[in-house]
Amino acid sequence: MKSAWNLVGMALWLLLICYFAYIIHDMRARRLRLIVTEKKSFTWRNFWISCGEVAIFLLFLWGMSYTTFFQDVKKLDTNRTTTSYAYKPLIIRYRADQSDYVTVRNGNGRKPIQNYTYYVNGGKYLVDSTNATVVYGKSNLNVQAETYKWNKEYLDHLDTRYQHAWVATVTTTYKKNFFNGIGLHAGRQADRFSLIRIPDKSFMNVVGD
């Protein structure tokens, strides 16, 4: 477990499950009492009590589901997340026919995803186009990368220092606190995005259709 604060979320989900079991038991018990005491299987009072119990359950289910599964990390304030940046120069791969900094493998299907393979000092990395992008030419940012906060002056410095061949990675992590624990996110990585910069398209080896 990344943080003990996540026990808060686990406890809340357990309470929600227990409440759901209680609702089923209570509905059945009230109906049986009606049949025994009033010789009826339905009354409006009993119906509205059941509706209220279900409404409360659905409200808390929506709240827990949203907090756990559907939060947009980009819209959270800095009290909820921390952001770190890492910058490394790319290592060129020399080959007889073409030398490249990154290999792009195109996927198939209606919404194909590209896979990018690149090398830096310390290893080989494989990322896909859902959390990475390749930029070349005069600008070191594109539309996809612009959605993240970058120090553009430092990116220009990287262009000069590494001859337009580097990778910048931004990582967002949930802080270890009570509110993140509710959604079971405390201490967990929220988002990771890599900006792969190459001088021009000739340094990109494209594989596939």
Side-chain angles (χ1 to χ4, degrees):
M1 183 177 293
K2 297 291 183 179
S3 172
W5 284 115
N6 291 319
L7 292 173
V8 175
M10 294 175 64
L12 290 174
W13 274 109
L14 181 61
L15 286 174
L16 191 62
I17 294 171
C18 291
Y19 180 62
F20 179 70
Y22 165 77
I23 290 175
I24 296 175
H25 169 75
D26 187 56
M27 286 181 178
R28 183 173 181 274
R30 281 187 285 106
R31 185 172 181 274
L32 289 175
R33 281 197 300 269
L34 279 175
I35 294 174
V36 173
T37 60
E38 301 183 29
K39 309 302 181 183
K40 298 178 181 179
S41 61
F42 176 85
T43 64
W44 282 108
R45 180 179 180 277
N46 191 52
F47 172 77
W48 289 117
I49 291 174
S50 298
C51 287
E53 289 178 341
V54 172
I56 292 173
F57 171 77
L58 292 177
L59 179 64
F60 278 94
L61 177 63
W62 175 84
M64 289 300 298
S65 297
Y66 175 80
T67 305
T68 304
F69 304 112
F70 303 110
Q71 287 191 92
D72 186 351
V73 67
K74 295 179 184 178
K75 295 181 179 180
L76 297 178
D77 57 46
T78 54
N79 292 324
R80 299 285 304 278
T81 61
T82 58
T83 303
S84 61
Y85 294 83
Y87 309 93
K88 293 183 179 181
L90 293 174
I91 295 178
I92 195 169
R93 296 180 65 204
Y94 293 102
R95 295 182 299 154
D97 54 340
Q98 176 187 353
S99 297
D100 58 77
Y101 283 110
V102 59
T103 298
V104 180
R105 187 175 297 276
N106 291 324
N108 298 314
R110 296 178 61 182
K111 295 182 179 179
I113 295 176
Q114 290 183 318
N115 291 293
Y116 308 130
T117 304
Y118 64 89
Y119 292 82
V120 298
N121 186 20
K124 170 185 176 182
Y125 288 83
L126 175 63
V127 294
D128 61 55
S129 55
T130 60
N131 52 28
T133 188
V134 177
V135 179
Y136 52 84
K138 294 182 179 180
S139 176
N140 49 33
L141 289 174
N142 60 13
V143 174
Q144 188 178 358
E146 284 279 7
T147 60
Y148 294 85
K149 296 180 180 179
W150 303 96
N151 183 333
K152 295 182 180 180
E153 292 183 358
Y154 192 73
L155 296 186
D156 292 337
H157 165 72
L158 292 176
D159 274 349
T160 302
R161 183 176 180 182
Y162 298 125
Q163 292 77 50
H164 303 83
W166 45 266
V167 57
T169 302
V170 53
T171 304
T172 305
T173 305
Y174 288 100
K175 290 183 177 180
K176 297 178 180 180
N177 56 33
F178 173 80
F179 293 104
N180 288 331
I182 293 175
L184 302 173
H185 296 313
R188 299 181 185 276
Q189 181 177 295
D191 188 40
R192 183 182 176 89
F193 183 83
S194 296
L195 171 59
I196 307 168
R197 171 69 159 137
I198 58 177
D200 57 66
K201 195 174 182 179
S202 64
F203 288 93
M204 182 169 61
N205 178 32
V206 181
V207 180
D209 297 333

